[in-house]
Amino acid sequence: MKTSEKIIEKTEKYGAHNYHSKEVVFEYATGARVTDPEGRKYFDMLSAYSALNFGHLHPEIVAAAKEQLDKVTLTSRAFHNELLCDFYESLCKLTGKNMVLPMNTGAEAVETSLKTARRWGAFVKGVEDGKQEIIVCNNNFHGRTITVISMSSDPSCRKGFGPFTPGFVNIDYGNIEQLKAAITPNTVAFLVEPIQGEAGIIVPPEGFLKAASEICKENNVLLIADEVQTGFARTGKMFACEWEGVEPDIYVLGKALGGGVMPVSAVVSDSSILGVYEPGSHGSTFGGNPLACAVSIKAMEILVRDNYPKMALEKGAYFMDKLKELKNPDILEIRGRGLLIGVEFKVPAAPYVKALIANGVLAKETHEMTIRFAPPITISYEEIDLAMEAIRKAIG
Ligand code: PLP
């Protein structure tokens, strides 16, 4: 039998050590439940960093994938497939935008949004090509490519990876005065996470997104919302920008868009912005492939039909209330929106994470002091109660 120990040993032996994975092997998983090779059972409270909003193996999404597996999985964009148009339509209906550019991973979608903003700056706004500036926030997390880490303020993401891509200006997250001061005639975009996920579930000061959106409009600067982690109902709204009634010019989407089955990401905007591309200017072999489209279309259908934003809002409030009853003097703050919740400690959180896992709750610390709780939105109230029993044993 392949034991957890042997699997982990082999993984560490052959794989680059760019992750420090917790010592749990997923053998089977459905909904919010995970079983390891030894038969131990866990609640998944990370959901692959919000990519599993629909839970593991959502039966309808799996059925859509299986059906497509018998038809066609990959065409490349050299040819058409019958589902890409429907994927576009669903995403436009969900966002209220009218144009989509499909990619695979979140980082690729972020890169695509940066290329879009630069081109729009050069072709539409009239900024001299090569002079475009994009404003980003300190403590952001937008992915791992060279250009994306060029925007990062986290030394561990950057060390040894220079030279970096120029053209970015960093401001403090939530600081509207700094945003105003950073805008120049060459500014083409402001890229922001509506809630900073990897930084430790940081909710910006109330009114920040709204004010940022107005300042962007006044200065003909595109507002790009990176909703890769916060989108698709995670925070109790379809998109987290809705918390402040903000409609960004560009949505960057990923993770849950793939229904927990395929990597699917996209940049969604209007033709006045995404219209800057012509054939040959950008692309991806796998972007928009029919298998990805099949699972994503089904995922979006379920999201609306079953009112996932309401589910996340109500279950999030229930879960948050229970977490707030925890009595532990090491807890500094509990914050978040919907089912994206951070418990910040005054001390390193790793020992608490270890205790959680020993009690059957899978979670991981982010930025040392904060534990993120982001279970599948499909988790039941009974499962939240059961998980809370384990959380109380481990933390409370
Ligand atoms: N943007 C945000 C806000 C994210 O949280 C992440 C991943 O955690 C990414 C982008 C990058 O996504 P991916 O890992 O799919 O490249």
Side-chain angles (χ1 to χ4, degrees):
M1 191 184 105
K2 266 178 135 184
T3 62
S4 291
E5 198 186 337
K6 285 201 178 122
I7 291 165
I8 293 168
E9 198 183 292
K10 192 168 168 184
T11 307
E12 292 301 311
K13 182 176 169 194
Y14 291 110
H17 295 166
N18 56 327
Y19 277 95
H20 188 61
S21 310
K22 299 292 173 193
E23 296 196 337
V24 176
V25 176
F26 288 31
E27 189 176 35
Y28 300 102
T30 49
R33 313 261 189 152
V34 174
T35 308
D36 78 3
E38 287 74 26
R40 285 179 291 246
K41 304 218 180 295
Y42 303 90
F43 289 104
D44 186 348
M45 287 276 167
L46 182 62
S47 306
Y49 302 98
S50 297
L52 286 158
N53 285 1
F54 303 89
H56 293 272
L57 299 186
H58 189 293
E60 290 172 86
I61 300 176
V62 169
K66 285 185 175 165
E67 193 185 323
Q68 193 58 37
L69 279 170
D70 283 332
K71 290 179 88 180
V72 59
T73 57
L74 190 59
T75 56
S76 83
R77 296 294 302 284
F79 305 99
H80 287 277
N81 73 69
E82 67 171 320
L83 292 182
L84 185 57
C85 56
D86 296 333
F87 168 75
Y88 287 161
E89 187 181 48
S90 299
L91 208 38
C92 284
K93 277 193 184 150
L94 208 59
T95 55
K97 300 288 188 193
N98 68 25
M99 200 170 255
V100 180
L101 203 166
M103 286 280 137
N104 311 282
T105 66
E108 276 178 303
V110 171
E111 287 261 358
T112 301
S113 76
L114 301 173
K115 288 176 81 172
T116 305
R118 284 182 172 188
R119 260 213 167 183
W120 173 86
F123 291 4
V124 181
K125 184 168 174 171
V127 176
E128 188 187 332
D129 194 14
K131 294 269 163 64
Q132 300 97 319
E133 291 165 12
I134 295 175
I135 302 171
V136 300
C137 293
N138 288 327
N139 298 323
N140 69 64
F141 186 84
H142 298 292
R144 297 292 192 174
T145 62
I146 293 274
T147 292
V148 170
I149 62 165
S150 300
M151 307 186 282
S152 176
S153 58
D154 180 350
S156 63
C157 297
R158 292 169 59 100
K159 197 169 74 185
F161 294 130
F164 296 104
T165 307
F168 300 108
V169 179
N170 282 66
I171 63 162
D172 289 336
Y173 188 60
N175 191 323
I176 209 73
E177 292 310 315
Q178 285 188 18
L179 175 62
K180 278 187 205 160
I183 293 176
T184 75
N186 291 332
T187 305
V188 295
F190 173 48
L191 167 65
V192 65
E193 295 159 85
I195 294 175
Q196 285 190 327
E198 296 315 293
I201 322 298
I202 309 296
V203 182
E206 211 184 313
F208 170 68
L209 288 177
K210 185 89 195 150
S213 153
E214 281 160 12
I215 288 163
C216 285
K217 272 197 186 73
E218 281 162 21
N219 290 280
N220 198 21
V221 165
L222 300 177
L223 178 65
I224 308 176
D226 180 347
E227 294 246 20
V228 167
Q229 186 161 159
T230 52
F232 303 111
R234 172 53 59 190
T235 71
K237 303 272 185 196
M238 191 59 81
F239 299 104
C241 281
E242 288 169 34
W243 279 102
E244 295 208 0
V246 165
E247 195 196 324
D249 298 294
I250 298 179
Y251 285 101
V252 182
L253 303 171
K255 292 197 194 277
L257 183 57
V261 176
M262 292 285 290
V264 185
S265 70
V267 168
V268 188
S269 184
D270 282 322
S271 51
S272 57
I273 295 166
L274 269 175
V276 295
Y277 289 100
E278 71 282 338
S281 56
H282 190 51
S284 158
T285 304
F286 288 90
N289 72 75
L291 184 58
C293 289
V295 297
S296 191
I297 291 165
K298 185 51 80 179
M300 286 188 269
E301 181 194 319
I302 294 167
L303 194 65
V304 174
R305 184 196 68 198
D306 296 350
N307 203 346
Y308 271 54
K310 185 164 178 273
M311 270 162 54
L313 195 67
E314 291 174 358
K315 290 175 188 175
Y318 181 81
F319 189 24
M320 177 86 98
D321 283 348
K322 303 259 168 203
L323 287 170
K324 285 194 167 158
E325 285 165 12
L326 289 172
K327 295 202 172 26
N328 182 333
D330 284 346
I331 294 177
L332 183 66
E333 192 186 24
I334 301 181
R335 56 174 177 261
R337 280 194 166 136
L339 279 173
L340 186 60
I341 300 174
V343 178
E344 184 173 349
F345 289 82
K346 297 172 195 158
V347 296
Y352 285 117
V353 170
K354 203 169 174 197
L356 282 169
I357 293 174
N359 281 284
V361 169
L362 302 180
K364 199 169 188 290
E365 67 277 20
T366 169
H367 274 244
E368 203 181 356
M369 310 297 238
T370 304
I371 298 179
R372 165 182 18 209
F373 289 104
I377 296 170
T378 52
I379 192 170
S380 67
Y381 286 93
E382 193 196 351
E383 286 172 325
I384 295 176
D385 288 343
L386 287 169
M388 269 315 300
E389 277 176 33
I391 293 170
R392 266 182 229 111
K393 276 189 208 149
I395 304 182

